[in-house]
Amino acid sequence: MTLFEALPNRKKTRSYKWDMVEKLYGSQDIQPMWVADMDLPIASPIKQALHERVDHAIFGYTFTDAHVNQVIQQWLSTQHDWEIDTDWIIYSPGVIPTLHMAVLTQTNPGDKVLIQTPVYPPFYDVINNHDRKLVTNSLIEQDGYYTMDFEDLEEKFRQGVKAFILCNPHNPVGRVWTEKELKKIALLCDQYDVLLFSDEIHADLTFDEAKHIPISSLNESTNNRTITCMSPTKTFNLAGLQISYAIVPNKAMRRAMTQMLHKYGLHMLNTLGITALEAAYHEGKEWLNELLDLLTVNRDFVIDAFKDCKQIKATKPEGTYLIWLDCRGMNRTHNEIKRFMQEEAKVGLNDGMTFGTEGKGFMRINIASPTSYVQQGVNKILEALDNSEERRLKT
């Protein structure tokens, strides 16, 4: 049996994905395919490192040292051709806390902060919860492929946007922005003096046809205005260990971020999270390659399964393990689509509307599971569509 063939039993482990099903979907008889974590075992070197740390049996205050910084530096160099100074690294419990700190330290109440919608729901809170003005730049969708509306983006920048939260690879539409697209963003940010907060947590999860480019790596000017948020948690299925880091080349921006993290007591990190990060980046590459092979198989299955379906189309992602399902062909209201998935297909997906108004008629499905599990969920959706059509024809 291969590493990713069996479905782990995650029930009664306080798993948000599995043990909240009844509360969120109204029934235990739901196949969860929503929260962005994996139904897959972690890499053996990470597991071994965690066992050794647990066997030590003392969990006092822990700090990150030069070796941890160097492991990150080496990972970014080999994975993304990005050469950083280890002094640029700051740590936090997660990318979203880091974005909160970025908004608090680099903008002022009333400042305009832009996001590209539909997008990861916490981005909205990062702006609204701190009395900043939310500005949206809707992505353009054509035949299941998303691009940026640069004309609208520039107009929004011209109207006084202070900061732009970029999502790359993009959640939920799965785009990995090209060098050409990133250079356009960088040029506009430079022209209109807009700061960049770049969420690149899915950076390592790209398919063969795409290459992730950290936007901060493009040139010195962009490097100096960018806070890049990264983490091993999505890559290596470590979300519960709550560790991430930001690359902040600008000394003044980095000092302000560090001070704010201390102010809110977010500077002391999870001991096991530090251990896992070090092991993942030092010895996790082979596991990651196997994971990407699995995700490619799963992605291609989902795309092919919906290829001839008139009611649901699957957006082919270039990165992440999330697929954006266009359900507008079902000719139902958004709430009816949600009920169909829960009550007829009996799968738990993410509601597209939580990503923004552009998500109306869409759902998001997680494919980071054994292939058989992904096939089961997709087939339940297709069978429910067939059954629904049969009922319609009989009436």
Side-chain angles (χ1 to χ4, degrees):
M1 181 175 290
T2 62
L3 177 63
F4 299 135
E5 190 172 337
L7 181 71
N9 182 4
R10 300 182 60 190
K11 293 181 179 179
K12 298 183 179 179
T13 62
R14 300 189 181 94
S15 164
Y16 198 70
K17 183 176 185 178
W18 285 82
D19 292 329
M20 292 287 285
V21 162
E22 185 170 11
K23 182 176 181 179
L24 294 171
Y25 295 99
S27 170
Q28 280 286 357
D29 188 24
I30 296 289
Q31 180 176 343
M33 303 184 76
W34 60 299
V35 173
D37 64 17
M38 305 183 199
D39 296 311
L40 303 169
I42 63 172
S44 294
I46 303 175
K47 186 176 179 180
Q48 181 179 344
L50 290 171
H51 274 301
E52 291 174 359
R53 190 64 183 82
V54 169
D55 288 343
H56 183 253
I58 297 177
F59 301 96
Y61 296 117
T62 310
F63 64 94
T64 54
D65 60 10
H67 186 262
V68 180
N69 292 343
Q70 289 163 6
V71 166
I72 292 173
Q73 182 186 51
Q74 182 63 28
W75 181 262
L76 296 180
S77 176
T78 57
Q79 284 291 111
H80 304 296
D81 301 318
W82 188 19
E83 306 302 328
I84 69 161
D85 190 319
T86 56
D87 288 343
W88 299 350
I89 302 171
I90 60 175
Y91 294 90
S92 88
V95 164
I96 295 305
T98 301
L99 288 174
H100 279 284
M101 297 300 103
V103 167
L104 281 170
T105 58
Q106 311 304 323
T107 69
N108 295 308
D111 281 348
K112 295 179 179 179
V113 181
L114 182 142
I115 57 177
Q116 293 181 312
T117 51
V119 76
Y120 185 48
F123 281 17
Y124 294 88
D125 294 335
V126 163
I127 299 167
N128 293 328
N129 287 358
H130 303 299
D131 299 319
R132 274 59 172 176
K133 186 174 180 180
L134 174 69
V135 178
T136 61
N137 168 233
S138 298
L139 298 176
I140 299 171
E141 183 267 330
Q142 184 173 6
D143 298 326
Y145 188 76
Y146 283 83
T147 55
M148 294 188 192
D149 186 342
F150 282 103
E151 184 177 342
D152 178 70
L153 182 65
E154 181 170 9
E155 179 59 30
K156 299 290 174 58
F157 280 6
R158 188 180 290 115
Q159 293 172 9
V161 166
K162 175 67 175 179
F164 169 25
I165 303 178
L166 175 68
C167 192
N168 184 34
H170 192 279
N171 175 12
V173 307
R175 277 298 316 278
V176 177
W177 304 116
T178 64
E179 184 175 11
K180 182 179 180 181
E181 289 167 320
L182 293 173
K183 283 182 175 179
K184 283 186 179 180
I185 292 172
L187 183 64
L188 289 173
C189 287
D190 199 44
Q191 182 178 349
Y192 293 98
D193 194 22
V194 176
L195 298 176
L196 267 167
F197 308 150
S198 188
D199 175 359
E200 303 186 16
I201 195 170
H202 291 277
D204 303 314
L205 300 172
T206 59
F207 296 100
D208 286 345
E209 67 271 22
K211 176 176 173 55
H212 177 79
I213 300 171
I215 194 167
S216 189
S217 70
L218 292 179
N219 56 61
E220 185 176 352
S221 178
T222 304
N223 193 47
N224 198 48
R225 69 172 65 253
T226 303
I227 294 172
T228 304
C229 304
M230 290 181 153
S231 172
T233 55
K234 285 288 184 284
T235 307
F236 293 99
N237 200 26
L238 304 170
L241 294 182
Q242 297 182 322
I243 184 168
S244 76
Y245 57 92
I247 309 300
V248 192
N250 184 297
K251 188 175 181 179
M253 293 170 70
R254 188 169 66 250
R255 183 188 305 114
M257 290 280 288
T258 301
Q259 290 174 347
M260 189 65 74
L261 285 164
H262 276 75
K263 178 179 178 179
Y264 283 91
L266 296 174
H267 59 291
M268 296 298 291
L269 297 179
N270 184 310
T271 301
L272 295 182
I274 297 171
T275 299
L277 180 151
E278 190 173 20
Y281 282 174
H282 188 58
E283 301 180 273
K285 180 62 175 177
E286 182 178 349
W287 181 94
L288 176 57
N289 289 339
E290 290 186 41
L291 171 68
L292 291 171
D293 288 342
L294 172 80
L295 295 180
T296 300
V297 170
N298 290 354
R299 178 195 66 167
D300 292 349
F301 167 79
V302 174
I303 298 302
D304 187 64
F306 287 109
K307 182 176 62 176
D308 297 322
C309 180
K310 295 180 180 179
Q311 295 167 286
I312 298 177
K313 298 297 180 184
T315 301
K316 187 176 183 180
E318 299 167 337
T320 81
Y321 49 74
L322 307 162
I323 295 184
W324 194 230
L325 298 179
D326 182 353
C327 306
R328 292 174 295 181
M330 294 176 65
N331 293 319
R332 305 188 188 205
T333 68
H334 187 78
N335 284 335
E336 286 172 344
I337 293 170
K338 287 170 59 180
R339 284 197 298 271
F340 168 85
M341 294 297 178
Q342 293 175 211
E343 299 173 9
E344 297 185 49
K346 295 192 178 299
V347 293
L349 307 181
N350 283 96
D351 176 358
M353 283 288 286
T354 64
F355 298 86
T357 56
E358 299 87 349
K360 184 178 182 181
F362 289 79
M363 304 292 283
R364 192 191 74 175
I365 188 170
N366 180 344
I367 62 166
S369 301
T371 300
S372 59
Y373 185 80
V374 175
Q375 292 173 337
Q376 178 187 2
V378 169
N379 287 336
K380 286 166 73 172
I381 295 172
L382 292 172
E383 289 169 10
L385 287 172
D386 288 342
N387 293 336
S388 177
E389 181 64 12
E390 285 182 16
R391 289 195 301 271
R392 186 186 70 82
L393 292 174
K394 288 178 180 179
T395 59

